[in-house]
């Protein structure tokens, strides 16, 4: 029966497909027994499920190729290893034979037993394995309950889940998942950022979707509005087709802007840099005529693996980004890991009580012996192949900037002594995402060459609103007078001291904010390539003189409603 779920659009695009439901791996399964004569049947059921998961993982491994093969492959190999663990398998059989438990309950008991062993270990890396065990056991459980043979491999599925980890997204896409509907999450989460990068329609906060949607249900998903329809009727199908046509039309229209400048109606060129996480992003940024890369997040290089990438490996990745941009500036951010996106190598602490306020970003880089120096060496070596700028995340004090600057100086002289060909100058900039850095900017602006405002975190810290907490709704939003004022102050100070200022948070990539950011004086945007042409189109409809004239009214706004009213009056409407 038709049912509508309203979530939030986190990655645009429309999809029509069948639901692949993934229940949360909480394993609160009640104890259930089977009759003695049903033991063999239950064992057969379980082994058929395990075999199907095994072949599904094998098929995926074979299908993987390209840039993600190595990363995702390792992850799959680890899961295959767990699935073949004789202790796990024998334990399951014993529980069903001796205890007459259902396969589900046997899986739960085995999961809890293995998880307890891992959780008791001192080593953070081993503790992190519990997630893998949950995923493997979760897959087997899903296979046990699959009505439709082969459903897991079905291309065109729409995954319905509680949350999805950034590292899983590429794997899901490789499995043929064409959209994701999550009951939790937020459009500003790292998963959402990555989904946009992969062009994978993504709806977050679709509450009740897990309770009401069954595996195999037909769904229509709109990644822009966040609307999900189960069992779409004729009108929904018509809407879906219309959206698909509209998207194709808009794509064609936007594609005409690929070679056009990002120039306001009064002739001012605005720099549009790209945010990138992958080689594909870099290629797209180049093809769209981005001014360069404004934010290359390096943490994805450190996730999904058991050891840290060494200097040479890092160097090769950074060099290839630089080469991919053929002489345009490439801004590479030093590692921004933390307990919120903890890695497998155990570098980032996993169980911090308050990860967003913990040992993340530059704090972690400075706390771990050799981590920063290795990354700086790789980055500076890449500068021999084209212009590289180094961006440091989560800075909150002058001391941190000075420490990184001193380290960079040391690395530059070392590399010169070793005979490496490197740039004469490698600009060093900081993210402005901790309010203290914005407020104390005068104290260290002379130490940096450029600034990049990270509105995703700035909003979270300034408003004490978790960027991943769906329950906060509009509380987490850049449309707050304090946020606008702080952005304006940073831009103004940067301009006064001749330091370029960009905004690289998601705000820069949403065309609804373009006029507002121009009014605040922004001349450099760094955004995901997926929305670059839309922002360019918006800029081409704005008059900079008019926006700057309207700035005082925007800064006088006392609340969200007045800011929204300003945005409605100054939306530089794009017609047709
Ligand atoms: C930000 O905080 O705005 C930002 C760009 O960094 P990240 O989203 O990677 O935290
Ligand atoms: Mg940030």
């Amino acid at each position: 029966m038709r049912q509508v779920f309203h979530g939030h659009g986190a990655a645009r695009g429309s999809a029509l497909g069948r639901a692949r439901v993934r229940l949360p791996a909480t394993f609160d399964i009640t104890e259930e027994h089977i009759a003695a004569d049903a033991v063999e049947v239950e064992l057969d059921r379980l082994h058929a499920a395990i075999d199907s998961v095994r072949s599904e993982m094998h098929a995926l491994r074979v299908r993987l190729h390209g840039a993600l093969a190595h990363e995702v492959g390792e992850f799959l190999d680890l899961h295959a290893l767990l699935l073949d663990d004789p202790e796990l398998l024998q334990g399951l059989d014993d529980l069903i034979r001796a205890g007459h438990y259902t396969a589900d309950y046997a899986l739960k008991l085995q999961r809890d037993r293995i998880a307890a062993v891992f959780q008791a270990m001192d080593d953070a890396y081993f503790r992190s394995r519990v997630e893998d065990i949950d995923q493997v056991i979760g897959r087997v459980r899903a296979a046990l309950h699959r009505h439709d043979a082969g459903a897991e491999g079905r291309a065109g599925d729409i995954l319905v889940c509680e949350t999805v980890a950034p590292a899983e997204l590429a794997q899901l896409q490789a499995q043929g998942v064409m959209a994701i509907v999550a009951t939790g999450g937020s459009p500003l989460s790292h998963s959402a950022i990555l989904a946009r990068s992969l062009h994978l329609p993504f709806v977050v906060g679709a509450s009740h979707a897990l309770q009401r949607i069954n595996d195999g249900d037909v769904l229509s998903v709109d990644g822009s509005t966040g609307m999900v329809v189960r069992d779409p009727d004729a009108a929904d199908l018509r809407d879906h087709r219309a959206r698909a046509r509209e998207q194709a039309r808009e794509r064609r229209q936007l594609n005409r802007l690929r070679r056009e400048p990002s120039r306001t109606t009064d002739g001012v060129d605005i720099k549009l840099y790209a945010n990138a996480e992958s080689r594909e992003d870099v290629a797209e940024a180049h093809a769209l005529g981005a001014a360069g890369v404004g934010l290359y997040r390096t943490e994805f290089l450190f996730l999904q693996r058991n050891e840290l990438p060494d200097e040479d490996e890092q160097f090769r990745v950074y060099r290839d980004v630089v080469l991919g941009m053929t002489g345009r500036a490439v801004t590479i951010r030093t590692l921004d890991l933390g307990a919120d996106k903890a890695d497998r190598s155990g570098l980032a602490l996993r169980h911090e009580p308050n990860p967003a306020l913990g040992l993340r970003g530059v704090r972690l880089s400075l706390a771990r012996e050799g981590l920063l120096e290795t990354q700086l060496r790789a980055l500076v070596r890449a500068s021999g192949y084209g212009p590289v700028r180094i961006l440091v995340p989560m800075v909150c004090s002058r001391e941190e900037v000075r420490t990184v600057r001193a380290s960079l100086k040391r690395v530059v002289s070392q590399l010169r002594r070793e005979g490496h060909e490197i740039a004469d100058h490698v600009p060093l900039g900081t993210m402005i995402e901790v309010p203290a850095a914005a407020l104390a900017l005068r104290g260290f602006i002379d130490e940096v060459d450029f600034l990049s405002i990270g509105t995703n975190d700035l909003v979270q810290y300034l408003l004490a609103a978790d960027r991943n907490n769906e329950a906060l709704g509009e509380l987490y939003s850049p449309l707050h007078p304090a946020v606008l004022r702080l952005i304006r102050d940073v831009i103004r100070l940067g301009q006064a001291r001749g330091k370029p200022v960009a905004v690289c948070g998601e705000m820069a990539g949403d065309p609804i904010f373009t006029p507002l950011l121009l009014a605040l004086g922004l001349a450099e945007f760094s955004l995901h390539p997926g929305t670059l042409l839309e922002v360019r189109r918006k800029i081409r409809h704005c008059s900079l003189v008019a926006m700057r004239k309207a700035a005082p009214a925007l800064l006088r706004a006392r609340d969200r409603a007045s800011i929204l009213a300003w945005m409605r009056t100054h939306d530089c409407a794009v017609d047709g």
Side-chain angles (χ1 to χ4, degrees):
M1 206 180 52
R2 180 179 186 273
Q3 186 170 13
V4 180
F5 302 86
H6 295 281
H8 301 281
R12 290 150 35 93
S14 240
L16 183 68
R18 296 178 66 190
R20 182 192 298 182
V21 174
R22 184 172 78 185
L23 297 170
T26 47
F27 301 105
D28 51 354
I29 301 163
T30 45
E31 182 170 339
E32 265 185 80
H33 294 270
I34 46 169
D37 60 0
V39 164
E40 293 307 319
V41 176
E42 196 66 358
L43 282 169
D44 285 350
R45 251 187 89 221
L46 175 68
H47 287 282
I50 292 175
D51 285 347
S52 108
V53 173
R54 217 179 259 132
S55 47
E56 171 194 298
M57 292 202 301
H58 178 71
L60 176 59
R61 188 80 173 92
V62 172
R63 273 215 316 273
L64 276 179
H65 53 81
L68 293 160
H70 175 69
E71 230 176 288
V72 180
E74 274 186 7
F75 172 76
L76 282 174
D77 289 344
L78 169 70
H79 283 195
L81 220 66
L82 286 170
L83 195 62
D84 281 335
D85 178 29
E87 220 179 304
L88 169 76
L89 298 176
Q90 191 56 48
L92 287 169
D93 285 5
D94 291 349
L95 284 163
I96 296 175
R97 275 190 207 290
H100 292 184
Y101 292 115
T102 57
D104 279 287
Y105 197 67
L107 280 168
K108 176 202 156 40
L109 290 176
Q110 277 293 71
R111 180 262 165 207
D112 290 351
R113 196 182 58 74
I114 303 173
V117 175
F118 280 111
Q119 268 153 353
M121 291 185 177
D122 286 337
D123 190 317
Y125 164 64
F126 282 112
R127 282 202 304 272
S128 76
R129 285 290 161 92
V130 172
E131 265 173 39
D132 295 302
I133 292 159
D134 282 352
Q135 287 192 15
V136 171
I137 302 259
R139 271 176 188 261
V140 178
R141 259 203 87 206
L144 267 178
H145 294 278
R146 201 173 296 141
H147 316 296
D148 219 1
E152 189 81 7
R154 218 163 42 200
D157 276 356
I158 294 172
L159 180 75
V160 182
C161 55
E162 189 179 36
T163 53
V164 62
E168 284 180 276
L169 287 172
Q171 185 195 8
L172 289 166
Q173 197 173 42
Q175 284 177 356
V177 166
M178 58 186 302
I180 298 179
V181 176
T183 53
S186 123
L188 275 304
S189 67
H190 288 99
S191 295
I193 292 172
L194 199 58
R196 289 194 280 275
S197 158
L198 294 167
H199 300 290
L200 191 61
F202 187 22
V203 170
V204 295
S207 24
H208 309 302
L210 266 181
Q211 287 116 288
R212 313 260 159 82
I213 294 174
N214 290 313
D215 211 50
D217 283 352
V218 174
L219 300 180
S220 153
V221 174
D222 182 353
S224 307
T225 60
M227 186 163 132
V228 178
V229 184
R230 189 191 66 190
D231 290 339
D233 61 16
D236 296 317
L237 292 177
R238 201 167 40 245
D239 286 351
H240 169 76
R241 288 224 324 276
R243 278 198 305 272
R245 267 199 309 272
E246 174 56 24
Q247 271 163 22
R249 194 185 66 82
E250 189 174 342
R251 258 300 110 216
R252 279 197 303 276
Q253 196 197 53
L254 283 171
N255 275 334
R256 288 189 215 120
L257 295 180
R258 279 171 173 257
R259 290 180 205 291
E260 300 297 329
S262 308
R263 188 171 291 155
T264 60
T265 54
D266 42 356
V268 182
D269 282 328
I270 301 296
K271 283 193 171 150
L272 293 189
Y273 290 92
N275 290 355
E277 270 96 55
S278 64
R279 251 186 257 183
E280 291 75 14
D281 289 345
V282 173
E284 199 181 345
H286 189 273
L288 297 176
V293 169
L295 170 65
Y296 186 85
R297 292 180 167 97
T298 57
E299 41 280 11
F300 293 102
L301 234 172
F302 288 71
L303 296 167
Q304 287 302 324
R305 52 187 299 156
N306 304 334
E307 73 297 317
L308 301 179
D310 65 13
E311 178 185 321
D312 280 340
E313 183 182 345
Q314 291 193 50
F315 157 68
R316 283 193 296 273
V317 172
Y318 307 150
R319 179 202 58 197
D320 290 352
V321 178
V322 172
L323 290 174
M325 289 308 287
T326 60
R328 300 178 213 172
V330 169
T331 312
I332 303 183
R333 187 170 73 180
T334 59
L335 185 62
D336 189 9
L337 270 191
D340 59 334
K341 24 181 171 169
D343 61 320
R344 272 164 200 274
S345 64
L347 179 66
L349 299 175
R350 271 201 164 250
H351 299 296
E352 282 189 324
N354 219 336
L357 306 182
L359 196 61
R360 60 168 284 202
V362 71
R363 304 167 181 187
L364 184 70
S365 293
L366 293 175
R368 299 281 185 267
E369 174 91 35
L371 185 60
L372 180 70
E373 301 260 340
T374 305
Q375 191 166 30
L376 289 179
R377 278 183 61 92
L379 287 167
V380 175
R381 280 173 62 193
S383 77
Y385 295 78
V388 170
R389 310 196 307 168
I390 298 176
L391 179 61
V392 187
M394 287 297 291
V395 163
C396 73
S397 71
R398 173 179 159 88
E399 291 82 346
E400 284 164 343
V401 185
R402 289 179 71 106
T403 311
V404 177
R405 171 70 80 190
S407 197
L408 179 60
K409 249 189 175 157
R410 259 195 318 276
V411 161
V412 165
S413 347
Q414 261 170 19
L415 289 170
R416 288 224 167 91
R417 271 200 310 276
E418 290 168 20
H420 288 279
E421 172 60 27
I422 57 174
D424 294 339
H425 175 59
V426 182
L428 180 71
T430 59
M431 296 279 293
I432 299 294
E433 52 187 344
V434 178
L439 293 165
L441 185 56
R442 274 176 206 284
F444 67 83
I445 192 163
D446 295 334
E447 308 276 346
V448 300
D449 300 303
F450 66 97
L451 300 164
S452 194
I453 306 178
T455 43
N456 304 342
D457 278 316
L458 187 65
V459 170
Q460 135 162 296
Y461 296 129
L462 193 59
L463 305 181
D466 183 348
R467 67 192 262 184
N468 294 315
N469 189 338
E470 177 58 28
L472 294 176
E474 283 172 357
L475 271 180
Y476 179 90
S477 158
L479 302 184
H480 187 290
V483 175
L484 302 190
R485 223 162 291 156
L486 209 54
I487 294 176
R488 192 274 315 258
D489 290 351
V490 171
I491 294 172
R492 201 185 250 182
L493 186 59
Q495 277 164 357
R497 301 294 179 87
K499 313 279 175 165
V501 181
V503 167
C504 65
E506 294 304 294
M507 189 183 181
D510 190 335
I512 67 165
F513 297 126
T514 306
L516 178 148
L517 288 170
L518 291 175
L520 296 178
L522 192 71
E524 296 189 7
F525 292 58
S526 187
L527 64 161
H528 187 265
T531 59
L532 192 140
L533 293 178
E534 282 171 74
V535 172
R536 178 177 288 162
R537 179 171 61 183
K538 196 71 163 181
I539 289 171
R540 290 167 62 84
H541 282 76
C542 285
S543 146
L544 199 60
V545 171
M547 287 306 113
R548 298 275 162 91
K549 247 197 204 148
L554 173 62
L555 290 158
R556 275 197 304 274
R558 291 180 180 188
D559 52 25
R560 182 183 168 83
S562 348
I563 298 171
L564 283 168
W566 185 96
M567 286 168 68
R568 274 193 297 276
T569 327
H570 302 91
D571 79 339
C572 305
V574 176
D575 25 67

